[in-house]
């Protein structure tokens, strides 16, 4: 491949080109340190500057209140599935989980190792093609927390409201839609996300946790698996993934330069309109299984009249420079991941291709 393609992969995913160019320019001698960034000590001044800048940029861009700590951890969102209940759910206590797909189910499985799980709502009855409304949530009221997956990467659904949970802390896996839109962060007890979709490369997990919750965590857990350890040591208890955080900081700088999260949301909405609009105008050929009020602006899933045509679509799209369109192996079909770094231009290229393909094969 001699040139860059429109990369619709679900994660790791496309990164802004100016960020990639900056990474290249910074090699092999970062800021006249005589070393590449990944060769610097995590205890060095140049690293510390990046660490501090990454946190303050995230705080500024997403309006994260001072009541919440920003942590950079390892082990992916998958480790958070276990670390969360390990810290906040004691035996005999209960947590509410909203089941909106594969990733919610994995979180539920881990929580059951530590305490009781109440399924506050489940969309499994309709193959996860919608997210439950507030009225459909059966919250227990006395749970330690309520857990949700804001965007369902495989099913292609997304919450377009923040559930009201009263005094019970709301905890959200935002792996696939973090910083894709402005949100009132004060409504969340904790937010977590692997960086590899909207924020950078894989290798770092951002955790935003309210101080009050850190204080409530269980004491007798392994040091590395306690939120308090990482709060006390500013995520530098052990060797942090320095290079991933450096790239995350470049992504945040880029986000700021293009107008911040409000501008990004605007672009995401335009991308959604373009792609979902294409289904409406070609509804005899393309079908989106997701209920209209639950459609994701990050992962757009759709079907063609049959699986052979889907295979052909993916192959011909790849030849046309549109990659990563194969649906998740558990559901099949087509999935276009349109994270923050996918420009509207890329989505337009996809809809143009879709028109041509439907005209030829419809
Ligand atoms: N939650 C969601 C919503 C995801 O999309 C993913 C990864 N695709 C995960 C959790 C797991 O993340 P990780 O691979 O970082 O553990």
């Amino acid at each position: 491949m001699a040139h860059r393609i429109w990369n619709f992969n679900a994660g790791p995913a496309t990164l802004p080109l100016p960020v990639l160019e900056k990474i290249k320019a910074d090699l092999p001698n970062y800021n006249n340190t005589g070393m590449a960034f990944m060769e610097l000590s995590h205890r060095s001044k140049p690293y510390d500057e990046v660490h501090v800048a990454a946190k303050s940029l995230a705080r500024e861009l997403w309006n994260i209140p001072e009541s919440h700590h920003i942590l950079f951890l390892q082990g992916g969102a998958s480790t958070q599935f276990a670390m969360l209940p390990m810290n906040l759910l004691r035996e005999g206590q209960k947590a509410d989980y909203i089941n909106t797909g594969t990733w919610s189910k994995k979180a539920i499985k881990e929580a059951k190792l530590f305490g009781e799980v109440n399924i506050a709502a489940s969309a499994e009855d309709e193959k996860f093609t919608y997210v439950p409304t507030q009225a459909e949530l059966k919250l227990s009221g006395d749970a330690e927390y309520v857990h949700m997956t804001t965007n369902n990467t495989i099913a292609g659904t997304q919450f377009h409201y923040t559930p009201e949970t009263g005094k019970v802390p709301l905890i959200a896996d935002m792996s696939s839609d973090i910083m894709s839109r402005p949100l009132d962060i004060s409504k969340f007890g904790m937010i977590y996300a692997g960086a590899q979709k909207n924020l950078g490369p894989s290798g770092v997990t951002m955790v935003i946790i309210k101080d009050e919750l850190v204080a409530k965590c269980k004491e007798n857990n392994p040091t590395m698996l306690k939120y308090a350890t990482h709060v006390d040591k500013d995520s530098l208890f052990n060797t942090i993934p320095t290079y991933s955080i450096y790239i995350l900081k470049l992504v945040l700088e880029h986000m700021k330069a293009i107008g911040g999260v409000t501008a990004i949301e605007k672009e995401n909405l335009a991308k959604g309109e373009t792609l979902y609009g294409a289904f409406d105008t070609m509804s005899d050929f393309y079908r989106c299984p997701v209920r209209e009020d639950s459609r994701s602006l990050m992962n757009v899933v759709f079907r063609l009249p049959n699986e052979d045509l889907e295979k052909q679509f993916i192959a011909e799209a790849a030849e046309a420079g549109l990659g990563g369109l194969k649906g998740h192996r558990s559901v099949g079909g087509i999935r276009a991941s349109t994270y923050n770094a996918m420009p509207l231009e890329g989505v337009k290229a996809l809809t143009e291709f879709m028109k041509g393909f439907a005209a030829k094969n419809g």
Side-chain angles (χ1 to χ4, degrees):
M1 189 65 64
H3 56 88
R4 283 176 61 76
I5 61 161
W6 294 119
N7 175 0
F8 292 96
N9 273 315
T14 193
L15 285 167
L17 189 56
V19 167
L20 298 174
E21 278 162 355
K22 176 79 173 106
I23 294 168
K24 189 174 163 193
D26 280 351
L27 282 168
N29 184 358
Y30 174 77
N31 264 3
N32 291 325
T33 56
M35 288 174 267
F37 194 87
M38 76 279 263
E39 298 174 297
L40 289 166
S41 165
H42 60 299
R43 308 285 176 204
S44 66
K45 191 160 174 279
Y47 175 73
D48 187 59
E49 283 166 5
V50 165
H51 188 90
V52 170
K55 283 201 316 177
S56 70
L57 276 163
R59 200 176 281 291
E60 176 192 339
L61 282 167
W62 216 22
N63 222 350
I64 301 170
E66 291 295 334
S67 51
H68 289 59
H69 302 280
I70 301 173
L71 307 177
F72 298 128
L73 307 183
Q74 297 185 61
S78 300
T79 298
Q80 293 309 307
F81 293 163
M83 191 164 157
L84 165 69
M86 177 186 272
N87 278 273
L88 284 166
L89 192 58
R90 291 161 173 83
E91 232 183 285
Q93 291 181 332
K94 184 170 41 183
D96 288 353
Y97 276 73
I98 306 172
N99 179 15
T100 49
T102 306
W103 300 107
S104 306
K105 282 170 94 168
K106 290 190 188 220
I108 290 164
K109 177 169 177 252
E110 301 302 298
K112 283 183 175 166
L113 297 170
F114 300 95
E116 194 190 319
V117 169
N118 168 50
I119 303 298
S122 173
E124 196 156 17
D125 56 342
E126 290 182 31
K127 295 189 178 155
F128 299 119
T129 52
Y130 71 99
V131 297
T133 61
Q134 175 80 44
E136 286 168 328
L137 302 180
K138 294 193 175 64
L139 302 176
S140 37
D142 59 347
E144 295 310 303
Y145 59 83
V146 177
H147 181 280
M148 72 184 300
T149 315
T150 47
N151 185 77
N152 299 281
T153 324
I154 296 173
T157 63
Q158 187 176 24
F159 278 85
H160 296 293
Y161 72 98
T162 300
E164 285 298 335
T165 58
K167 286 199 170 64
V168 181
L170 177 61
I171 295 185
D173 173 2
M174 292 198 195
S175 288
S176 47
D177 66 352
I178 191 162
M179 294 180 89
S180 65
R181 54 185 171 180
L183 280 180
D184 182 355
I185 308 301
S186 70
K187 289 197 165 164
F188 296 86
M190 183 175 124
I191 291 166
Y192 63 93
Q196 66 269 20
K197 301 171 197 298
N198 267 341
L199 297 181
S202 57
V204 60
T205 311
M206 191 190 270
V207 173
I208 299 166
I209 185 169
K210 198 170 182 180
D211 194 52
E212 265 170 36
L213 277 190
V214 179
K216 278 174 71 180
C217 287
K218 230 158 49 183
E219 274 296 322
N220 57 337
N221 272 323
T223 312
M224 267 300 280
L225 297 174
K226 284 160 67 162
Y227 291 112
T229 301
H230 303 291
V231 169
D232 291 347
K233 300 290 182 193
D234 189 15
S235 306
L236 282 155
F237 173 75
N238 75 325
T239 316
I240 196 162
T242 55
Y243 205 57
S244 297
I245 290 162
Y246 149 77
I247 299 173
L248 178 141
K249 180 236 176 197
L250 296 180
V251 170
L252 294 176
E253 273 173 353
H254 174 76
M255 284 170 67
K256 186 173 171 174
I258 60 172
V261 178
T262 308
I264 284 166
E265 181 189 43
K266 206 169 149 216
E267 176 103 345
N268 285 335
L269 286 165
K271 282 153 31 184
E273 255 171 52
T274 304
L275 201 38
Y276 288 113
F279 303 144
D280 293 340
T281 55
M282 297 181 270
S283 58
D284 48 341
F285 196 77
Y286 298 105
R287 184 177 57 84
C288 175
V290 178
R291 213 165 74 182
E292 223 169 301
D293 64 358
S294 305
R295 289 177 172 179
S296 168
L297 291 177
M298 299 280 105
N299 310 97
V300 179
V301 298
F302 56 100
R303 307 297 314 225
L304 270 63
N306 62 60
E307 287 184 14
D308 285 341
L309 277 173
E310 287 173 348
K311 271 193 203 136
Q312 190 186 331
F313 179 94
I314 292 161
E316 289 184 20
E319 275 171 32
L322 304 155
L325 287 165
K326 194 169 185 295
H328 190 269
R329 59 192 179 280
S330 62
V331 292
I334 315 290
R335 170 175 58 178
S337 296
T338 53
Y339 299 125
N340 289 352
M342 171 58 66
L344 179 58
E345 199 190 340
V347 170
K348 285 185 175 160
L350 173 59
T351 52
E352 280 309 305
F353 173 81
M354 286 166 69
K355 271 185 214 155
F357 190 87
K360 261 193 290 167
N361 299 285

